[in-house]
Amino acid sequence: SQTIHQWPATLVQPVGSPLSLECTVEGTSNPNLYWYRQAAGRGLQLLFYSVGIGQISSEVPQNLSASRPQDRQFILSSKKLLLSDSGFYLCASRLAGLQYFGPGTRLTVT
Amino acid sequence: QKEVEQDPGPLSVPEGAIVSLNCTYSNSAFQYFMWYRQYSRKGPELLMYTYSSGNKEDGRFTAQVDKSSKYISLFIRDSQPSDSATYLCALGRNTGTASKLTFGTGTRLQVTL
């Protein structure tokens, strides 16, 4: 089975500051990885997905970016945060055709 | 129109009741159907999944899919306070090299003693 780690667990950042959220996966190799954002009352919104190192697909145009420097590492970044970037960020990994989620990072932009 | 519609609730039931959670969808391209359970401030956990129309049972949980009506349901029998959570339906399709899920907004369930 796989284990998905995310850090930090919570983060409070001022508007205009940079962002880096990290996701790492144990127990599998070459997984498809996903970044989602969950806002209240809006369900989960797919932001990015990756099928391999250096391969990133963006689903929603915004001021966020993603990178995959290693097989089991997925990073979500921003150069300048907006208030609207607040939310619960979830990393997911696909195993045997099914998506499993990490514990999430709660981001508050003030 | 959203691709997946789910009543947000909240839904409050007494312990021991049968719970029915539902989603409707508009895109017939969806190939597989999942239910996730999410406790407050936690990541969603996969509860049930199915690839075809019909029923799939796992303990107290039954997932039902009706592709002709574009309707999926999750039934919880003998509900327990520990079932209190938000339940998310997720519908998937394979697109090229990746699979993608489209989620409902979630139904918040409260099981009371």
Side-chain angles (χ1 to χ4, degrees):
Chain A
S1 64
Q2 65 177 351
T3 303
I4 303 171
H5 302 280
Q6 287 188 246
W7 62 85
T10 60
L11 192 60
V12 180
Q13 292 283 94
V15 168
S17 64
L19 174 74
S20 182
L21 303 181
E22 188 166 346
C23 169
T24 58
V25 182
E26 293 179 1
T28 187
S29 60
N30 196 30
N32 285 359
L33 297 175
Y34 305 80
W35 277 113
Y36 289 87
R37 177 169 58 204
Q38 187 175 34
R42 297 188 61 184
L44 273 73
Q45 180 186 33
L46 178 62
L47 302 175
F48 301 93
Y49 67 90
S50 171
V51 299
I53 296 174
Q55 300 179 65
I56 308 295
S57 295
S58 173
E59 288 293 297
V60 182
Q62 57 206 316
N63 71 322
L64 298 172
S65 62
S67 61
R68 186 167 176 177
Q70 300 181 45
D71 181 45
R72 290 171 289 174
Q73 183 185 32
F74 203 21
I75 296 173
L76 184 69
S77 304
S78 174
K79 293 181 179 179
K80 289 186 178 181
L81 283 169
L82 306 173
L83 283 175
S84 57
D85 292 323
S86 293
F88 192 42
Y89 288 83
L90 290 155
C91 177
S93 173
R94 186 183 179 202
L95 178 66
L98 303 174
Q99 284 191 28
Y100 297 88
F101 286 87
T105 294
R106 187 162 301 278
L107 171 67
T108 303
V109 182
T110 60
Chain B
Q1 182 188 7
K2 292 182 181 179
E3 279 193 291
V4 179
E5 299 277 359
Q6 184 175 10
D7 188 333
L11 179 62
S12 183
V13 301
E15 184 180 8
I18 297 175
V19 176
S20 173
L21 304 167
N22 310 296
C23 287
T24 59
Y25 62 97
S26 57
N27 190 340
S28 58
F30 289 121
Q31 299 165 298
Y32 46 95
F33 309 88
M34 301 173 180
W35 286 94
Y36 287 84
R37 178 175 62 194
Q38 186 175 24
Y39 292 112
S40 180
R41 307 184 78 84
K42 303 290 186 183
E45 60 177 301
L46 183 61
L47 200 57
M48 299 280 290
Y49 65 92
T50 182
Y51 296 92
S52 58
S53 284
N55 293 350
K56 181 178 181 180
E57 189 174 318
D58 184 1
R60 296 185 296 111
F61 300 91
T62 299
Q64 184 179 80
V65 174
D66 183 343
K67 287 188 177 180
S68 61
S69 299
K70 297 188 180 65
Y71 190 89
I72 67 172
S73 298
L74 178 70
F75 298 97
I76 306 174
R77 290 183 297 281
D78 188 25
S79 56
Q80 303 294 311
S82 58
D83 294 328
S84 298
T86 296
Y87 290 80
L88 301 160
C89 64
L91 286 69
R93 54 191 158 183
N94 294 324
T95 57
T97 55
S99 68
K100 297 183 186 179
L101 294 180
T102 301
F103 285 83
T105 53
T107 299
R108 190 155 58 91
L109 172 66
Q110 181 72 38
V111 181
T112 58
L113 293 171

